[in-house]
Amino acid sequence: MGADVRIPPEVAAVLRYYVYALRDPRDGKVFYVGKGIGDRINAHAREASEDPESHVAKLRRINDIEAAGRDVDLVFLRSGIEDESDAFMVEQSVIDAFAADGHALTNLVRGHHSGTHGLAMLPAVVARYSAHPCPPIPYPVIMLKIQNGWRAEMNERDVYEQTHGHWKISEWTRGRMVGGFALGIAYGIVRGAYTIDSWFRSEQPHDRGKNRWGFHGTPAIELADTVGTHVRGVFPNQVMYRRFLDGYAGSPIADTSPV
């Protein structure tokens, strides 16, 4: 590592809390955003030199930069922040701005309260605060829990990709759902609604031998009014999908038909 420019106490007193970025001088790309106070901005390079075997992406990037004979660019994004909670908000906003642009950072977390106040598409934010109960659906419908892969910033295509596969659904159910509808559900909210045109067996390596299936479908105009509504209580425990072959009555009614 080259010259280590420490932050003296009198400078730290003026900077207060700050938000900073680590930038790769080889391509000019920011690879980490953080918040700090005092000499925190310098700590990452010292951590990397103390732990050269680290597999953390941030430290590996720093080691690669220094192995090329360069120094990490240490960049202040905002200083003079009086309150740590404000620094958290600025940090989260910057991280989310990079994510919205498709710029991958090495941050292991998305930022303070990013799940509730951070990057999100407009429909997800509206549904978060004002979701009404899902209206009755007079068609065969299967509700699929997609929250493991769902993110608030997903667009419509991303939601479809999460919803259409892959699921451990029996042949009995698949046969009765062709021509029916599928809803992608995350955290009790309907995120997407699709017709089911056909089913296909998953060819993903991790699905082989598990009898998992996906469906080909298109956005369901008939159920457009269900997107953004809630079906809280439909999924008990670890259940990943619910089917309503005679239609959804607007409340969690048990389905006792064969699996």
Side-chain angles (χ1 to χ4, degrees):
M1 181 179 176
D4 189 354
V5 182
R6 303 296 179 101
I7 298 178
E10 64 272 20
V11 175
V14 175
L15 292 176
R16 299 292 295 140
Y17 288 99
Y18 53 80
V19 174
Y20 64 92
L22 306 183
R23 188 173 64 194
D24 191 328
R26 298 170 298 177
D27 59 11
K29 300 291 187 181
V30 169
F31 62 90
Y32 183 86
V33 171
K35 75 148 191 67
I37 193 170
D39 201 45
R40 172 60 184 169
I41 193 172
N42 276 308
H44 303 286
R46 287 197 288 271
E47 290 171 359
S49 62
E50 292 167 3
D51 186 13
E53 300 302 319
S54 172
H55 294 292
V56 177
K58 174 188 65 179
L59 302 185
R60 186 167 60 245
R61 184 77 168 263
I62 293 172
N63 283 332
D64 288 345
I65 292 169
E66 294 181 349
R70 306 291 296 274
D71 293 326
V72 176
D73 291 338
L74 307 179
V75 183
F76 285 102
L77 302 177
R78 180 62 186 263
S79 60
I81 303 172
E82 293 295 329
D83 186 84
E84 186 177 24
S85 62
D86 290 340
F88 273 125
M89 285 193 293
V90 174
E91 176 195 36
Q92 177 216 308
S93 297
V94 173
I95 291 172
D96 282 347
F98 276 109
D101 192 47
H103 183 104
L105 298 174
T106 58
N107 292 68
L108 297 180
V109 294
R110 286 287 295 273
H112 202 55
H113 296 311
S114 64
T116 53
H117 300 296
L119 180 63
M121 294 286 284
L122 175 60
V125 173
V126 172
R128 180 185 297 161
Y129 298 111
S130 65
H132 299 292
C134 181
I137 299 172
Y139 314 106
V141 62
I142 188 168
M143 299 186 186
L144 302 158
K145 188 189 292 184
I146 64 170
Q147 62 200 43
N148 288 342
W150 183 83
R151 302 183 309 280
E153 68 267 26
M154 280 182 166
N155 58 33
E156 293 179 3
R157 180 64 188 178
D158 294 331
V159 175
Y160 172 71
E161 288 298 322
Q162 285 295 319
T163 305
H164 86 120
H166 301 98
W167 309 94
K168 195 170 184 179
I169 296 177
S170 69
E171 181 180 1
W172 188 93
T173 297
R174 296 195 310 273
R176 286 158 178 77
M177 287 307 304
V178 173
F181 298 88
L183 301 182
I185 313 295
Y187 300 100
I189 305 295
V190 180
R191 311 296 180 172
Y194 312 96
T195 60
I196 299 176
D197 299 326
S198 62
W199 294 90
F200 64 92
R201 185 187 296 273
S202 172
E203 297 297 331
Q204 297 292 330
H206 56 275
D207 285 339
R208 288 175 185 164
K210 296 182 180 179
N211 196 33
R212 293 187 182 275
W213 297 76
F215 68 86
H216 295 297
T218 54
I221 299 174
E222 300 91 332
L223 300 186
D225 62 338
T226 68
V227 178
T229 63
H230 77 76
V231 290
R232 299 186 181 104
V234 164
F235 292 96
N237 302 322
Q238 300 302 311
V239 172
M240 295 305 294
Y241 77 89
R242 292 290 307 279
R243 60 179 175 218
F244 300 89
L245 301 182
D246 296 321
Y248 176 66
S251 60
I253 298 175
D255 178 6
T256 57
S257 52
V259 176

